[in-house]
Amino acid sequence: MQPVALSSGNNPLRDPRDQRLPRIAGPCGIVIFGVTGDLARKKLIPAVYDLANRGLLPPGFALTGFGRRDWSDSDFAEYAEKAVREHARTPFRESVWLELVGGIRFVTGTFDDPEAFRRLSQTVRELDEKRGTGGNHAFYLSVPPSAFPLVCRQLAESGLSESAEDAWRRVVIEKPFGHDLASAQALNDVVSEVFPPEAVFRIDHYLGKETVQNILALRFANQMYEPIWNSHYVDHVQITMAEDIGIGSRAGYYDGIGAARDVIQNHLLQLLALTAMEEPASFSAHDLIAEKIKVLAATRVPGDIEAHTARGQYTAGWQGGEKVKGFFDEDGISPSSVTETFAAIRVDVENRRWAGVPFYLRAGKRLGRRVTEIAIVFKKAPHLPFESTATTKLGENALVIRVQPDEGVTMRIGAKVPGTQMEIRDVTMDFGYGHAFTQSSPEAYERLILDVLLGDPPLFPRHEEVELSWQILDPITEYWATHGTPDAYRAGTWGPQSAEQMLSRDGRTWRRP
């Protein structure tokens, strides 16, 4: 039986405590700028279809593309159908597609063309009349950051950013949110002139992943972890985002940005905030964001940046049985580039819960395997009543949250090896989403797009979080700009030797996921 799309939020028959019914978007539409780019083709358009396929969009939902191509509505519909068939998570169903395609429109134009935005405004009004979208529209800026101010101004001058009293207009901004604190503040000034704070959604797709949200469930739905989630028991925390791919065709974006700005400033500091924050009063946006802001405001970079950071650039090597080229051999990379493809930093959260517990964050390309994880590494037991030979193979207890791939949680504990003598060795207890639940996890963009349409912002960083993250990272990137160059590391390894030395100075070692 097909789920019926209802207008959520105003449904008097629905008890909000009834978990059997999902939250369904009311009358609305979405306009995607940069709709012919990879993000829209591989993620955004398929996510819209998957939401429709799950019955979470209203029958009159509208999808409008804005781009330079001289397309008709049917041309864009054909492009969108191909994207859905190739990249959607759920099976293609003709009936769902026919319902969705009735609301598909395309507007040809450039970002500096006021006439194109007037045509877009006319298209939006037409959709309100013919599809019943009710004046509710989200504008998704899947465009280079340099285009954000121009698009926002055009939305304002064309009247598209203004909503009627009983309707809403929202804007969605993809990372990066600036390239340092000053540019992030300037970007926020531009956006805030056009949209009120509650109408601005900054997307960090990592926060839409099921396992990231499971951090909150793991910590606050279980009594067994929270009592030891502090400096009395935790030795250190490692947060890793490793990719096995190179920069590919992204040289134009990546060169000059680097791993620290591309990943650590947003994804990894957000994961740190969720890992280290205090229990919120509720999971409302206001309460959740307030606790994340407290953590980021208490996060500091050690004074000796040279000793507590590392950076590198991959060289040619072997990966997955295939010979791969180095960073300087990639198309479009200058031989004098000092952009890092690997970055590792230590930060300290200076509050009572985490005093003395270092947080190590690392991210890189062409590493040993693709994995994102948060490892809570515990202190060793203060006393071991065993012969010293019994515990030679015993390491630290660890709780590892795997964000991707193979989403789940692993606990590393010590156990006796079968036999007549007492010998203790590390073993793991493993929970995998794929084994525990029969239903597959929705894509992060499904959850986040639906939250935008519902006006539900807990998973979206506010501008205060963005600016605090830049305050943490800026001293590091400024130091790197005037002190040396990145070290080399071979593709398929786990980064430069300087990263190993960074932890060895603290008497610790990196995990090998």
Side-chain angles (χ1 to χ4, degrees):
M1 180 178 178
Q2 289 289 106
V4 178
L6 302 173
S7 174
S8 72
N10 298 316
N11 183 0
L13 301 179
R14 180 183 169 188
D15 186 336
R17 295 169 298 178
D18 188 346
Q19 298 299 307
R20 294 171 298 177
L21 292 176
R23 299 179 68 194
I24 300 169
C28 62
I30 188 168
V31 178
I32 301 178
F33 294 91
V35 76
T36 58
D38 276 357
L39 177 64
R41 180 172 60 88
K42 294 180 180 179
K43 296 293 184 181
L44 304 184
I45 295 172
V48 167
Y49 169 81
D50 288 330
L51 289 171
N53 208 7
R54 294 165 58 202
L56 300 179
L57 297 180
F61 181 81
L63 169 63
T64 302
F66 184 100
R68 289 177 294 181
R69 299 191 187 183
D70 187 17
W71 277 352
S72 64
D73 294 344
S74 59
D75 291 332
F76 177 46
E78 184 178 338
Y79 172 86
E81 181 179 353
K82 184 178 179 182
V84 166
R85 288 184 181 273
E86 290 180 357
H87 301 290
R89 180 180 64 88
T90 58
F92 187 85
R93 291 192 292 175
E94 198 71 34
S95 58
V96 174
W97 179 250
L98 289 175
E99 178 70 31
L100 192 59
V101 79
I104 285 183
R105 302 288 187 274
F106 188 81
V107 175
T108 300
T110 57
F111 301 150
D112 59 354
D113 181 7
E115 181 58 35
F117 280 81
R118 281 192 284 272
R119 291 196 300 271
L120 177 60
S121 180
Q122 182 178 347
T123 298
V124 165
R125 286 195 299 272
E126 175 214 323
L127 289 167
D128 288 340
E129 296 171 5
K130 294 185 177 180
R131 298 287 290 181
T133 46
N136 303 316
H137 296 274
F139 302 100
Y140 200 118
L141 274 56
S142 179
V143 300
S146 58
F148 291 167
L150 178 57
V151 175
C152 285
R153 282 195 294 270
Q154 294 281 28
L155 290 172
E157 290 172 7
S158 62
L160 281 163
S161 61
E162 299 175 9
S163 61
E165 186 175 342
D166 57 347
W168 52 258
R169 298 290 167 94
R170 296 171 185 145
V171 65
V172 185
I173 301 174
E174 275 280 347
K175 77 171 187 70
F177 313 118
H179 61 268
D180 58 14
L181 176 59
S183 60
Q185 291 173 330
L187 173 61
N188 183 64
D189 289 343
V190 170
V191 175
S192 61
E193 287 177 5
V194 180
F195 292 93
E198 65 274 9
V200 180
F201 290 73
R202 297 167 182 83
I203 279 212
D204 184 336
H205 71 272
Y206 257 62
L207 301 186
K209 291 182 179 292
E210 286 287 332
T211 39
V212 172
Q213 298 167 53
N214 196 45
I215 298 170
L216 304 176
L218 185 77
R219 289 191 59 190
F220 304 125
N222 299 291
Q223 179 69 7
M224 62 190 298
Y225 298 118
E226 198 61 16
I228 58 172
W229 209 268
N230 54 60
S231 60
H232 297 300
Y233 299 97
V234 175
D235 179 76
H236 69 280
V237 178
Q238 295 185 23
I239 304 178
T240 297
M241 179 180 167
E243 297 178 271
D244 56 7
I245 59 172
I247 64 164
S249 61
R250 299 180 70 216
Y253 163 78
Y254 198 86
D255 195 19
I257 299 294
R261 289 186 175 96
D262 187 41
V263 173
I264 292 179
Q265 182 272 334
N266 39 73
H267 299 332
L268 298 197
L269 284 174
Q270 281 289 319
L271 294 182
L272 179 149
L274 291 169
T275 302
M277 73 181 193
E278 298 297 321
E279 181 177 351
S282 74
F283 286 133
S284 69
H286 177 272
D287 292 337
L288 192 60
I289 290 168
E291 296 303 333
K292 288 197 293 177
I293 286 174
K294 289 179 187 176
V295 169
L296 293 172
T299 301
R300 304 283 185 272
V301 177
D304 189 348
I305 291 177
E306 181 70 28
H308 294 294
T309 66
R311 54 183 168 145
Q313 295 168 324
Y314 62 85
T315 60
W318 289 87
Q319 197 148 36
E322 178 185 353
K323 181 75 172 175
V324 296
K325 54 189 177 182
F327 177 62
F328 290 109
D329 300 320
E330 302 280 12
D331 295 338
I333 295 298
S334 166
S336 59
S337 174
V338 293
T339 299
E340 79 283 355
T341 62
F342 173 95
I345 69 172
R346 168 183 166 166
V347 294
D348 298 284
V349 179
E350 296 183 352
N351 61 20
R352 181 167 297 203
R353 179 186 287 267
W354 297 111
V357 177
F359 284 71
Y360 300 105
L361 282 56
R362 62 174 170 171
K365 293 186 177 296
R366 288 289 182 215
L367 298 182
R369 60 170 294 207
R370 173 177 173 261
V371 63
T372 301
E373 67 170 35
I374 303 162
I376 316 297
V377 182
F378 293 90
K379 296 177 179 179
K380 288 192 173 183
H383 174 65
L384 294 171
F386 308 99
E387 295 290 338
S388 59
T389 56
T391 58
T392 56
K393 297 182 180 179
L394 178 65
E396 301 98 338
N397 295 154
L399 179 68
V400 182
I401 302 168
R402 297 190 307 277
V403 177
Q404 69 174 16
D406 306 321
E407 296 91 342
V409 180
T410 294
M411 291 178 61
R412 186 175 71 191
I413 60 175
K416 181 184 177 299
V417 178
T420 56
Q421 65 182 23
M422 176 63 75
E423 181 185 357
I424 301 173
R425 186 180 301 172
D426 288 337
V427 297
T428 59
M429 299 173 63
D430 192 67
F431 151 68
Y433 267 86
H435 302 127
F437 299 104
T438 56
Q439 62 194 84
S440 62
S441 298
E443 279 284 331
Y445 280 100
E446 289 178 56
R447 169 69 185 265
L448 295 172
I449 288 174
L450 182 60
D451 283 351
V452 169
L453 301 179
L454 291 167
D456 191 16
L459 297 178
F460 296 83
R462 294 290 296 271
H463 73 90
E464 296 95 336
E465 297 173 69
V466 173
E467 292 176 9
L468 285 168
S469 296
W470 282 121
Q471 285 182 29
I472 295 166
L473 191 63
D474 275 359
I476 295 173
T477 55
E478 289 168 5
Y479 180 88
W480 285 351
T482 56
H483 291 76
T485 57
D487 302 313
Y489 65 96
R490 193 174 71 254
T493 64
W494 284 97
Q497 188 60 32
S498 54
E500 304 296 335
Q501 294 166 352
M502 170 185 150
L503 258 67
S504 66
R505 293 187 187 99
D506 291 348
R508 299 181 176 93
T509 58
W510 288 109
R511 283 175 44 81
R512 291 290 182 265

